[in-house]
Amino acid sequence: MTSFLASTVVNPFNTSLSRGFEVIIKRAWAMPNHNTFEIKPIREWIGEVPRISVDPFARNCELAGVTNDINPECTANYSEDAITFLKSIWDGYAECVLYDPPYSLRQLKECYDGIGRAMTQRESQRFFSDVKNEIARITKVGGTVLSFGWSTVGMGKTRGFSIKDILLVCHGGMHNDTICVREVKNGD
């Protein structure tokens, strides 16, 4: 049985210059898995994925309606690099985006090396920012981005998103936690 410890965090800087916000943070424990969405508390946290959804780093996961992975041996609908794939989607298309990229430049390099492709200097310097900019573009107002990684950076306020809740999944021992962030795109 999965157990969650829930708490609420309120912005201490609730001034006339910055609006206060409330974020629900939950914590669970589970064994690590390279397939993020097979980790039980993460899969439960995701819930039902809308039909009009996109996963630019799907590997073999079929939760989203439109899937992509740079590795052509994966079962994704498309086999493009993430930025090329996202640029092919029109503005405001997605109700939901699953953003589960390689968590570090080392992991990103391993993905590229695994298919015999070298990363360009630009990719290594701007990759994550460029992908997030494209995700922001394709996410409709009111749409959700679910981000997975080792930080709560997510899409961010500057791209027009507000954090709704966070799930911290502890994997114990020498493993980094998986941090899951649910954000909603605000109206312009």
Side-chain angles (χ1 to χ4, degrees):
M1 179 173 196
T2 304
S3 64
F4 291 102
L5 299 174
S7 63
T8 303
V9 178
V10 179
N11 179 2
F13 306 106
N14 192 4
T15 66
S16 60
L17 298 176
S18 89
R19 293 184 178 157
F21 60 89
E22 191 172 282
V23 176
I24 304 299
I25 299 175
K26 297 178 180 178
R27 184 176 185 273
W29 186 93
M31 293 295 293
N33 187 326
H34 289 293
N35 299 313
T36 306
F37 306 142
E38 290 180 12
I39 300 171
K40 187 175 179 183
I42 292 175
R43 183 63 191 100
E44 290 172 353
W45 179 81
I46 292 170
E48 189 68 29
V49 177
R51 187 175 59 81
I52 302 175
S53 55
V54 175
D55 185 345
F57 301 94
R59 297 177 80 185
N60 295 312
C61 180
E62 298 176 355
L63 286 177
V66 181
T67 59
N68 176 70
D69 197 277
I70 193 168
N71 186 338
E73 294 180 14
C74 290
T75 60
N77 305 118
Y78 299 92
S79 296
E80 303 285 342
D81 69 84
I83 295 168
T84 301
F85 166 72
L86 290 166
K87 284 184 180 208
S88 73
I89 299 171
W90 58 86
D91 296 1
Y93 168 80
E95 293 176 12
C96 179
V97 177
L98 300 173
Y99 177 55
D100 185 27
Y103 292 176
S104 67
L105 283 175
R106 179 191 57 80
Q107 289 180 343
L108 182 63
K109 183 179 180 327
E110 288 172 1
C111 290
Y112 276 74
D113 290 349
I115 61 165
R117 181 174 161 194
M119 278 178 51
T120 66
Q121 183 176 4
R122 175 166 172 76
E123 286 169 328
S124 67
Q125 292 174 343
R126 303 249 336 132
F127 180 79
F128 295 107
S129 179
D130 289 349
V131 168
K132 287 180 184 182
N133 289 339
E134 288 300 315
I135 289 173
R137 183 187 60 75
I138 71 162
T139 304
K140 68 187 257 180
V141 172
T144 302
V145 175
L146 305 175
S147 300
F148 305 85
W150 292 333
S151 77
T152 59
V153 173
M155 295 299 294
K157 192 167 136 182
T158 59
R159 289 185 182 89
F161 287 80
S162 297
I163 295 175
K164 294 303 174 194
D165 65 307
I166 297 170
L167 172 65
L168 306 173
V169 181
C170 174
H171 301 300
M174 299 299 293
H175 298 282
N176 290 321
D177 292 357
T178 300
I179 301 173
C180 314
V181 179
R182 184 185 327 265
E183 294 171 283
V184 173
K185 186 172 184 180
N186 305 316
D188 297 300

